[in-house]
Amino acid sequence: MYLADQTWPELSDYVAEESLAVVPLGSTEQHGPHLPLSTDHTIAEGLAREATDRTDFLCTPTVNVGVSVHHKQFHGTMWADAPEFRDYVESFSRNLAYHGIDRIVFVNAHGGNQTHLREVGRRLREDEVAYAVEWMWDESIPQLVNDLFEHNGPHGGPKETAMMMHLDPENVKTDELEAARDGGLVEWSNEEASVHGARDFYDSIDNTDNGVLGDQTDATPEKGARLFDAASDQLVQLLEWLDDRRFEDLMAKPHVEPKPGSRRER
Amino acid sequence: MYLADQTWPELSDYVAEESLAVVPLGSTEQHGPHLPLSTDHTIAEGLAREATDRTDFLCTPTVNVGVSVHHKQFHGTMWADAPEFRDYVESFSRNLAYHGIDRIVFVNAHGGNQTHLREVGRRLREDEVAYAVEWMWDESIPQLVNDLFEHNGPHGGPKETAMMMHLDPENVKTDELEAARDGGLVEWSNEEASVHGARDFYDSIDNTDNGVLGDQTDATPEKGARLFDAASDQLVQLLEWLDDRRFEDLMAKPHVEPKPGSRRER
Amino acid sequence: MYLADQTWPELSDYVAEESLAVVPLGSTEQHGPHLPLSTDHTIAEGLAREATDRTDFLCTPTVNVGVSVHHKQFHGTMWADAPEFRDYVESFSRNLAYHGIDRIVFVNAHGGNQTHLREVGRRLREDEVAYAVEWMWDESIPQLVNDLFEHNGPHGGPKETAMMMHLDPENVKTDELEAARDGGLVEWSNEEASVHGARDFYDSIDNTDNGVLGDQTDATPEKGARLFDAASDQLVQLLEWLDDRRFEDLMAKPHVEPKPGSRRER
Amino acid sequence: MYLADQTWPELSDYVAEESLAVVPLGSTEQHGPHLPLSTDHTIAEGLAREATDRTDFLCTPTVNVGVSVHHKQFHGTMWADAPEFRDYVESFSRNLAYHGIDRIVFVNAHGGNQTHLREVGRRLREDEVAYAVEWMWDESIPQLVNDLFEHNGPHGGPKETAMMMHLDPENVKTDELEAARDGGLVEWSNEEASVHGARDFYDSIDNTDNGVLGDQTDATPEKGARLFDAASDQLVQLLEWLDDRRFEDLMAKPHVEPKPGSRRER
Amino acid sequence: MYLADQTWPELSDYVAEESLAVVPLGSTEQHGPHLPLSTDHTIAEGLAREATDRTDFLCTPTVNVGVSVHHKQFHGTMWADAPEFRDYVESFSRNLAYHGIDRIVFVNAHGGNQTHLREVGRRLREDEVAYAVEWMWDESIPQLVNDLFEHNGPHGGPKETAMMMHLDPENVKTDELEAARDGGLVEWSNEEASVHGARDFYDSIDNTDNGVLGDQTDATPEKGARLFDAASDQLVQLLEWLDDRRFEDLMAKPHVEPKPGSRRER
Amino acid sequence: MYLADQTWPELSDYVAEESLAVVPLGSTEQHGPHLPLSTDHTIAEGLAREATDRTDFLCTPTVNVGVSVHHKQFHGTMWADAPEFRDYVESFSRNLAYHGIDRIVFVNAHGGNQTHLREVGRRLREDEVAYAVEWMWDESIPQLVNDLFEHNGPHGGPKETAMMMHLDPENVKTDELEAARDGGLVEWSNEEASVHGARDFYDSIDNTDNGVLGDQTDATPEKGARLFDAASDQLVQLLEWLDDRRFEDLMAKPHVEPKPGSRRER
């Protein structure tokens, strides 16, 4: 159920009976010569809507601008600085608790948001406001991603290309796939991004000229459909798993024994 | 031109030649029994996209969650607290300057965002980063709004209802218009919202049971189309006016004469 | 009763029995060639002291420097930036609760402080610390203001001039009234301050050369006395109204039915 | 010259020619059974106005509420928390630079403000905005204070009592002087306030029942007049000394030799 | 060269000629029944001192308390919250620039600090204050770690145990190695830490009863010595690599062509 | 007992039975030509470890970098800005409460940290999290310091020199003692640091060329040993005194009578 399309009376049952919300978050940032800047928020929204349509859990509107400063050199990349992004997401997430929401799934399609969403999740949990988890679509189906693509590329590669062919084909430039591959970096290894163990790169332009990695020509709409279905399945299962938990079991475990002060005499 | 649908190379000319961006902002909040919670962000996005399509200025994705705590009692209203909202908007607006944007129109459809967007605009201008103005659609066509509706209602009234009938008819519950009117407050005056000159109300529920004001039965899709066209016209003219200005002329005027320290001897 | 003139034992009864405080806030900013920079804080303090003298409610000292950046181009205007102003006022207001104060009237005579005081008021109310309202003197007697002056001018106009003639005649330059009128803007309309619906002006110097609006020659001490008495009456009534309320009735209403989680099974 | 009593054109010469501002700051806090809560801000304002009247330097309005949490247990004590106080004072002080002010004397009469004003002063100096010094009146005339009183008491004692007898006799309860002495702590030593070298007390109530120290019966208006004159003399001399300095000489000295990077080859 | 053991004149040559500083950071947190809470800061300090002794680059004192909230349930774990940790590290790192330091290696031995140190590094680079990289010792020698241990365990496992046997044998409880292994989790996989792709665990206690992972019985002092030497070698090479760079080449690359505004006419 | 050398199970008894922690804090800053930059944190750590070894109270690792901006002109001085220092110390101190710590002694050897540690202590006490006191070693033994040295010097003088001769003789340059004395300021008075009552100096370089005060040639290791023993004795007594208190007795006293609202009718 998409929250924004409801009137407030239509949400009565959900508010009375349920406690879970799905929040899609992406970015608006360069994705090479073949994909639109919307890529990450389109994917996040697509998956969040699909999984909540299937399950009738609540889906909020999408946060379209995330932490993308590492793509700033490319035309049009938008970004909020990390502290402001975290605080904005924390603020509206925390306020969802007023309507009884105590568990949240951040459906995320931008790697640059991950640590920040986890930090927000920790703050909400420490205050016992909500249990929030960050879910990154491709991390839910690593095997399938590996099976489908030889060089899947962490950014703007065939996995994202295929997803966009499935979700928003009009905005994929299929005649730029070869250029994307040839102007970017096909084989990517963590070693290339580090010097004697230190990650020395800060911006995507440090590694590629056109901003993308992997072999984009390996993408097809059919592969996109498979990815989308498989990831949606995983998300549905996550929502159901989360919905089944008791709130107490989602909160932090207590201090180990002996408890602080338990044998204090004063 | 919608930024998020472009690839980064497609934005080359705009970045090289232009300096204006349009940012739609709304809210996700209760709009009575007949309108979806999306109302404000749907209207802001609709107008921003229309005016930028006509002129080819750049439109960014929409900020869907704003400062709506005054509607919190109604199911599903989302909100960010004011400081976090301001800081998030300021952060990504400020970062647009990296791509040469030095003038921004915040296309806004939520009254609760107004003072905050103006505060953000002032910060950007004081640092000489950008000149940003807040534009609230109905304030651009006050005469037409008055002509079309006897009781237009500042929130969830016939002007917003008509706009949504035009922009997103599927999500307007036309069979709830009478209930909206009868369960809300048809005639609204600023006096009712104040006690001996002090605005004593903080939340919309203080004034209405169902959250809305005005006579919703007066709305029609045709009136919505007229409002949409007229407001779009105003926005187009604003964009052209702003584009014509020199940056220096948009910045703060200098200190009056005599200039500080101008006759100091030391 | 003026708090600062009491010894702490003299406040015993008030602290034990009462719960209301009046806080005057103004600004120190240009008011044209005829009025001193103190104008706003002199008026706020005058009214606050009068109404609390009549009623024996508690009046605190005055905050003399407010949010006046929009007058900065004129010699001597002082201002705190908006976040720091809000936080300072919030901090000492919140601390009043330690002495049992749970309702506060911000007696304000500077338009630039209004949204900020309301934001502070909301924060205090949301934490259920206190119910604070912003009271702007001229908004309590709109009819009388209109009756007395043809062109009352929102800043440095005849209404403020008359008030200062009544409260601090020594510091009013009566031989500058014509210059004030002729060097400023007599007729002011909101339309002049906007372009196609967007408020395009940020500073008072954008509209006037000498910083003031309205027809100052229309001011007399007698009119000032009438304004002062009428506004004081309104303030007294506000204080009594507020004192009569139960704290619970001043706090936010609860979430509408059904209550969040009320039918949750888990 | 008192800033707030001027019109903006009257400040023209000062803004063009001068660069110094005097800012009085005090507190609104308990001063025993005999002195009003205004004591500290009345003294600060009195001295600042006197010294600027004599010299024609600029005096701003007074900050009446400071950092007084350590007196909170006594009825009516007001306070801002330290970070908010610092930020508010820093904000308006920083903004004075827009009018060419590059040196500020914080005329202070409340010990609890001292470290905070020095921290603000450091921030302003590090950014090379202004050179601001904190001036605490009794620290300018330690010998006279010692000569006049056997037990001068750091808070609410005879030195403050005498000053108030001189500045605001109406609000001094002379028939409470003996009670003040007998209910408070006459002899005060730093040792009493510490345990094995750690200052263990946080609040004035930890040391005295009525909040004051010293022998108040030793105060007379004549002693107050002498203190006032002597401290005013010191302040006048400070203002003249400060006015004589070159701005560069007030800023931080450079890094010692050799300068960082001066022999770097890269 | 260890900064803290020098007098300021002894640092003259370094300040004049060099621009690199090494900052060790660790944590004070549980490391199972066999390792002291110092483990992470001991390792970081040991490596930083070794590599700077070999090369004569500057090493600062160690930050001993980091972001360890995920170990809080175990007795004695200390932690700073993430925003405060970031801001403290940023502050003193930024201030190193006053002495000409424009490149910093954060020698880190605590996984929980990584993202925060990278965020600090980004802020320093964006302001063009310094180029700072985070270096995590075991990430510099992944092959050796894998070769030496079958189950190396990311926390409190044999690699940390071996390092501590080499660096601080007195504080390693060798008779607890089996208990450490048997009471913890020997085989660790990322899958166990996630549910359908979402990392669902927040605290180490969620996965292990005694707080540690891997097979600690596989650790020997000899292996520790090899790890220490190999990682020191890597760090030395990193320092030399970094020292060889030009500052400009360490800063962010420019915006891609065409440059923003390059073809603007206005 | 030194926290960092324990395994978590070894802390079980302490966590269950005790409630006191000792936190050493110093600085890394210039101490003249004869003492290392470590001086303050070496002294703080030395005393904290000695007193906790004698008593078996818990000692945490040391905070090595403090608020030392006033020594910045001298090579190698490190510093965190005051707000970041306060927030970092507050954060980890507050988190100690999770393990039952409700009283903390900040063992401090740097004057520049004092007001900040007291501010942190106040915040912790106001939230009733912990009672924290700042203890500065030389303030615990003022008589002995005066007896041992004619010109003890507040910074880098003989008292600190003697302590370092006792604690870390290798890093004291005994052949520089005369140079230290002759290049610095032997006799220091508060009067020299103020102009007409205003403390006009901000940096140590304003008063001395080499950064130090007092007569360093008066220092001996034997005097250092006496200082160390005497201060340790004081600290031990402070810990025992603090341990003996009830938590309630360490918290702020209540509001004086009559209690706020106690006679309110509403």
Side-chain angles (χ1 to χ4, degrees), chain B:
Chain B
M1 182 163 54
Y2 183 51
L3 183 144
D5 282 348
Q6 315 300 312
T7 64
W8 72 258
E10 290 176 303
L11 289 164
S12 296
D13 287 349
Y14 199 90
V15 165
E17 291 164 17
E18 303 293 338
S19 62
L20 192 154
V22 172
V23 178
L25 302 104
S27 70
T28 299
E29 68 182 30
Q30 70 87 6
H31 273 77
H34 62 305
L35 289 180
L37 277 76
S38 71
T39 297
D40 287 350
H41 67 251
T42 296
I43 293 174
E45 187 167 317
L47 290 163
R49 296 290 285 275
E50 172 74 13
T52 52
D53 282 351
R54 290 197 208 166
T55 56
D56 233 25
F57 287 116
L58 196 68
C59 183
T60 74
T62 301
V63 175
N64 294 308
V65 175
V67 183
S68 304
V69 62
H70 47 301
H71 296 294
K72 75 174 176 182
Q73 284 87 357
F74 296 96
H75 303 311
T77 294
M78 295 179 69
W79 73 96
D81 293 324
E84 287 75 14
F85 175 77
R86 284 190 296 260
D87 290 350
Y88 175 70
V89 175
E90 179 182 347
S91 181
F92 75 72
S93 298
R94 190 175 285 272
N95 291 333
L96 284 171
Y98 184 75
H99 303 297
I101 299 300
D102 65 17
R103 58 206 70 197
I104 297 172
V105 176
F106 293 129
V107 170
N108 181 29
H110 173 51
N113 292 342
Q114 286 195 285
T115 62
H116 308 298
L117 294 172
R118 284 179 184 151
E119 185 169 330
V120 169
R122 177 172 291 284
R123 295 183 198 171
L124 296 174
R125 189 179 183 234
E126 269 164 32
D127 293 347
E128 305 208 337
V129 166
Y131 178 81
V133 284
E134 186 264 354
W135 181 81
M136 181 79 180
W137 72 275
D138 55 340
E139 294 187 357
S140 74
I141 48 169
Q143 193 58 51
L144 180 60
V145 169
N146 277 337
D147 289 353
L148 291 181
F149 309 108
E150 198 169 348
H151 304 291
N152 67 66
H155 182 76
K159 68 183 168 193
E160 291 188 331
T161 307
M163 281 289 265
M164 287 299 280
M165 286 170 161
H166 175 65
L167 288 169
D168 186 16
E170 271 180 58
N171 283 308
V172 178
K173 309 228 162 318
T174 49
D175 51 355
E176 293 282 343
L177 299 184
E178 288 189 24
R181 180 195 62 198
D182 298 342
L185 186 67
V186 175
E187 296 218 42
W188 156 270
S189 73
N190 262 313
E191 285 168 37
E192 286 175 70
S194 71
V195 175
H196 303 294
R199 231 173 56 161
D200 70 315
F201 92 108
Y202 274 103
D203 295 327
S204 63
I205 202 172
D206 296 342
N207 292 311
T208 74
D209 289 334
N210 68 1
V212 288
L213 308 162
D215 179 358
Q216 289 76 7
T217 64
D218 205 11
T220 66
E222 292 72 30
K223 289 182 178 181
R226 284 189 59 190
L227 291 169
F228 183 77
D229 279 347
S232 298
D233 283 348
Q234 290 296 313
L235 181 52
V236 163
Q237 290 178 61
L238 172 63
L239 299 183
E240 286 168 350
W241 174 87
L242 190 55
D243 184 54
D244 276 351
R245 301 273 89 67
R246 294 191 315 156
F247 183 68
E248 310 85 89
D249 296 341
L250 294 168
M251 292 296 96
K253 292 191 180 177
H255 198 284
V256 296
E257 296 294 329
K259 290 287 178 289
S262 54
R263 302 202 305 262
R264 209 181 294 163
E265 286 165 21
R266 194 175 41 237

Side-chain angles (χ1 to χ4, degrees), chain F residues 81-266:
Chain F
D81 293 322
E84 286 75 14
F85 175 77
R86 284 190 295 261
D87 289 350
Y88 175 71
V89 175
E90 179 182 348
S91 181
F92 76 72
S93 299
R94 190 176 286 272
N95 291 333
L96 285 170
Y98 185 75
H99 303 296
I101 300 299
D102 65 16
R103 58 205 72 196
I104 297 172
V105 176
F106 293 130
V107 171
N108 181 29
H110 173 50
N113 292 343
Q114 286 193 285
T115 61
H116 308 298
L117 293 172
R118 285 180 185 150
E119 185 169 329
V120 169
R122 179 173 289 284
R123 294 183 198 171
L124 296 174
R125 188 178 185 236
E126 267 163 35
D127 293 347
E128 306 208 336
V129 166
Y131 179 79
V133 285
E134 187 266 353
W135 180 81
M136 180 79 180
W137 71 274
D138 56 340
E139 296 188 356
S140 75
I141 48 169
Q143 193 58 51
L144 179 61
V145 169
N146 278 337
D147 290 351
L148 291 181
F149 310 107
E150 197 170 348
H151 304 290
N152 67 66
H155 182 75
K159 68 183 167 192
E160 289 187 331
T161 307
M163 281 288 266
M164 287 299 281
M165 286 169 161
H166 175 66
L167 288 170
D168 186 16
E170 272 180 59
N171 283 308
V172 179
K173 309 229 161 315
T174 49
D175 52 357
E176 294 283 343
L177 299 183
E178 290 189 23
R181 180 195 60 198
D182 299 342
L185 186 68
V186 174
E187 296 219 40
W188 157 269
S189 73
N190 261 314
E191 284 169 37
E192 288 176 70
S194 70
V195 175
H196 304 295
R199 235 176 50 164
D200 71 315
F201 92 108
Y202 274 105
D203 294 328
S204 65
I205 201 172
D206 295 342
N207 292 312
T208 76
D209 288 334
N210 68 1
V212 288
L213 307 163
D215 179 358
Q216 289 77 8
T217 63
D218 206 12
T220 64
E222 293 71 28
K223 290 182 178 180
R226 284 188 61 191
L227 292 169
F228 184 78
D229 280 348
S232 298
D233 283 348
Q234 290 296 312
L235 182 52
V236 163
Q237 290 176 62
L238 172 62
L239 300 183
E240 286 168 348
W241 175 88
L242 191 54
D243 184 54
D244 276 350
R245 301 273 88 67
R246 293 190 316 156
F247 183 67
E248 310 83 88
D249 296 341
L250 295 167
M251 292 296 97
K253 292 191 180 177
H255 198 286
V256 298
E257 296 293 328
K259 289 288 178 289
S262 55
R263 301 202 305 262
R264 206 180 297 163
E265 285 165 19
R266 191 176 42 237

